[in-house]
């Protein structure tokens, strides 16, 4: 009986995990599993995101993942799994942003942590996809599209900091 239960559990586990898109290790702000971006382009984008991260006192992060295609799940499901596994942003503040591109599927998603949802709304994310990413991707200018999207995301979040007591503050620099 115990063998039957064990075998059933093992079968169910393999069935639930069957066909899910693999999540790469989070070892860089820019992960391109398709090798679409050149090494210099990855370095440039990485440098830009590191500079952004260092300018934010609340630990906000932006990460980019480009994959070839999704396996048996929606882009929303995969984005959520990646976001949760990578733990983008500062723990407790949930102030990370994931820019996900499924190149061969021609799908894009901007996943935003709860801490930044008030500033990077679904409307803002949709606008970035339509205005920055899609037009450039249609011309095979993946670097330019990602760079433009990152620029807008950085601009939108500049001056918006989340502090440990979870009270968002807008910081205005005068002069």
């Amino acid at each position: 009986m115990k063998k039957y239960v064990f075998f059933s559990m093992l079968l169910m586990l393999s069935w639930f995990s069957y066909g899910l898109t693999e999540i790469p290790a989070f070892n860089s702000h820019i992960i391109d599993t398709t090798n679409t971006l050149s090494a210099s382009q990855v370095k440039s984008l990485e440098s830009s995101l590191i500079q952004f991260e260092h300018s934010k006192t609340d630990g906000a992060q932006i990460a980019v993942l480009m994959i070839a295609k999704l396996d048996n799940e929606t882009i929303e499901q995969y984005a959520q799994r990646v976001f949760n596994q990578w733990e983008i942003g500062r723990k407790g503040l949930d102030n990370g942003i994931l820019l996900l591109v499924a190149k061969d599927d021609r799908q894009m998603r901007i996943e935003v942590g709860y801490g930044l949802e008030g500033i990077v709304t679904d409307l803002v994310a949709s606008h970035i996809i339509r205005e920055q990413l899609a037009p450039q991707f249609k011309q095979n200018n993946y670097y330019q599209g990602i760079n433009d999207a990152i620029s807008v995301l950085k601009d939108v979040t500049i001056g918006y900091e989340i502090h440990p007591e979870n009270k968002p503050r807008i910081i205005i620099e005068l002069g």
Side-chain angles (χ1 to χ4, degrees), residues 24-102:
F26 184 42
N27 53 16
S28 172
H29 290 82
I30 307 292
I31 298 176
D32 175 14
T33 64
T34 66
N35 295 317
T36 300
L37 303 173
S38 71
S40 63
Q41 290 171 333
V42 170
K43 186 176 180 179
S44 173
L45 293 170
E46 178 80 18
S47 175
S48 171
L49 291 178
I50 289 171
Q51 184 179 21
F52 166 76
E53 189 175 333
H54 289 308
S55 73
K56 302 289 285 179
T57 60
D58 65 352
Q61 274 185 318
I62 300 173
V64 177
L65 172 59
M66 185 183 294
I67 62 171
K69 64 184 185 77
L70 297 163
D71 296 324
N72 300 320
E73 62 186 321
T74 66
I75 194 155
E76 294 84 6
Q77 292 168 329
Y78 183 65
Q80 188 65 51
R81 286 193 319 112
V82 172
F83 194 88
N84 290 338
Q85 184 170 319
W86 283 4
E87 299 177 338
I88 304 166
R90 183 180 282 174
K91 187 174 184 165
L93 298 182
D94 203 16
N95 57 349
I97 299 172
L98 171 66
L99 171 56
L100 173 62
V101 177

Side-chain angles (χ1 to χ4, degrees), residues 63-65 70 74-81 83 97-103 106-112 117 121-122 125-126 128-129 133 137 149 153:
V64 177
L65 172 59
L70 297 163
T74 66
I75 194 155
E76 294 84 6
Q77 292 168 329
Y78 183 65
Q80 188 65 51
R81 286 193 319 112
F83 194 88
I97 299 172
L98 171 66
L99 171 56
L100 173 62
V101 177
K103 184 181 172 187
R106 297 181 181 196
Q107 293 186 45
M108 298 153 272
R109 172 90 177 155
I110 297 174
E111 189 72 25
V112 181
E117 279 186 341
T121 62
D122 288 342
S126 176
I128 292 169
I129 289 170
L133 292 171
F137 286 8
L153 287 168

